Structure formats: structure tokens, C-alpha cells
Amino acid sequence: MPDETPDPSEAPDVLADEESDPDDLPPEPVVDEAERLTRLAREAAVDAEAAAYRRDRDERLADHDYTARVREDETRDVLVLHPEEWVEDGEIRTERIEDIDRGIEVPLSGPGEGDDWAEIDEYNRDVVADVRADHGEDHAANVAALADFMGNHYAKPIHDATADELREFLEDYYRRNAWPTAAQRAVVEKSVRVAFAVADERCPLE
């Protein structure tokens, strides 16, 4: 059963990363409970029961000034939690988003759900950390965007990316979702190659 909250196309794909200020995010138990209640709502056979689960979830998130929606992608559904202040009249206002890291995404179905996704994401974040240590923050920011793309859209480690997937990242996802600085944008293709180089893997773009 789809969530009742609108799914505006202009909303960016976001994931809270490890550098976010924890004071800005709901506690992990609240996020876990929001996921559990959303799953129960989706599985409920009676509309009134589903509505009760969603209402419970929304009240718990509201205590932290957050709200929820379910984004239905081609390959999976994703629970998206974000600050209430981003929303006006049921739509996300992109001009109100000052820190995209305050957004939280939880896969509900399809590739990347559950423990497998967590392991893949942990591996990809380790790649980001290695790039940061050896090549600096601009390359690390680009590889972090690549990690988001590969984990969320393909549920794959960075080094399993195909040439077509990397081109999709560079030509589509990065332009629409990464919000890079000029310096980051200038080196993004090199950043992709750096991500493979830190693990001594051949980059499919070569």
C-alpha cells in the first residue's frame, strides 16, 4: 500500500552520512521504529489499521520535527525521513533545504534491503574514507556521491560498477543529486578512477 504523502519529483535523493550532527537527526531507535511501523502499514489488510500505523509513526517523528514519505522507484520502495520545515502544502521546497545530510533513506523493498545493503554501504564508505585519506576532500565528496548512487540504485559495491552504470552516475545522477562545488565538479571523472585505484581495481571507464 503506497504512502499517503506526496512524492515531489524535485526532491533530492539524500542519505544521512556519518559526519552529520547527531543532534539534528532523530535517534536511531526512532528511525528503526518508523521503519517498522511503515512496514506494518504496508502489510496491513485493513485501511484503518494501516492508517493507525502511519499515524503512530508520524507522531513519533513529529516529536523530532521530522516527517515521512515513501518514494516508489522503478526497482524498490524507499522510506524517506526529513525535517518538517522542508515541506509546505504537502510539497518539499528545495530552497528550504540547507543541509541535505538531514535526510534519511531506508530501503523497504527490492535490491539493497536489509543486512546486505548495510554491508555494501559499509564497504563503500570505507572506500570513501580511503579516498579522503589519500586524495583529499574534493575527490572524497565525489566518491561519497558515487557510493550513494551504487548503494541506493544498484545495491552494489563501487568496484562492481559497470561502465554503463558509471556513465549513468556521471551524466545523470551526479548532475541532479550531488550538489557539488565547482572544484568537485571539475574532477568528478578523475574521482571515479581514483575510487577504483585505491583498491587496485580496473576502472571500466578506461
Side-chain angles (χ1 to χ4, degrees):
M1 178 181 296
D3 192 74
E4 74 282 9
T5 310
D7 180 19
S9 59
E10 69 269 22
D13 278 342
V14 291
L15 271 177
D17 69 24
E18 60 193 20
E19 295 182 358
S20 295
D21 183 351
D23 292 337
D24 289 339
L25 304 176
E28 185 174 346
V30 174
V31 175
D32 291 343
E33 187 66 4
E35 177 186 358
R36 187 184 74 86
L37 291 167
T38 301
R39 291 184 184 278
L40 290 173
R42 288 159 62 85
E43 296 166 0
V46 180
D47 287 346
E49 182 183 5
Y53 286 130
R54 288 196 295 267
R55 186 165 54 251
D56 188 3
R57 175 200 66 194
D58 294 345
E59 289 174 353
R60 292 168 186 266
L61 290 171
D63 288 341
H64 302 275
D65 299 322
Y66 262 64
T67 189
R69 63 184 178 90
V70 171
R71 188 183 70 238
E72 298 181 350
D73 294 336
E74 292 183 1
T75 58
R76 65 177 185 168
D77 296 343
V78 180
L79 173 65
V80 182
L81 310 179
H82 54 76
E84 291 177 339
E85 66 196 47
W86 291 4
V87 181
E88 180 180 346
D89 297 330
E91 295 187 359
I92 291 181
R93 310 294 297 184
T94 54
E95 68 272 14
R96 295 187 176 187
I97 301 175
E98 296 182 357
D99 181 2
I100 62 172
D101 288 336
R102 295 181 67 198
I104 302 169
E105 293 192 353
V106 182
L108 297 172
S109 64
E113 179 184 6
D115 293 340
D116 288 345
W117 182 89
E119 292 177 4
I120 290 168
D121 188 61
E122 182 178 1
Y123 171 83
N124 286 340
R125 298 302 157 185
D126 287 343
V127 174
V128 174
D130 289 343
V131 170
R132 178 175 290 107
D134 294 342
H135 299 276
E137 189 58 41
D138 286 337
H139 285 305
N142 287 336
V143 176
L146 177 60
D148 290 346
F149 171 73
M150 289 305 300
N152 294 333
H153 290 266
Y154 290 102
K156 294 168 65 174
I158 287 173
H159 299 129
D160 285 351
T162 66
D164 286 343
E165 289 164 356
L166 293 177
R167 280 191 289 269
E168 179 185 355
F169 167 74
L170 291 169
E171 297 170 7
D172 183 23
Y173 178 91
Y174 185 80
R175 295 175 181 177
R176 292 187 298 108
N177 298 289
W179 298 27
T181 65
Q184 292 162 5
R185 190 182 303 112
V187 298
V188 62
E189 186 168 338
K190 182 176 180 180
S191 298
V192 171
R193 301 178 190 280
V194 164
F196 282 79
V198 296
D200 295 323
E201 297 280 352
R202 177 184 173 276
C203 179
L205 293 179
E206 296 175 349

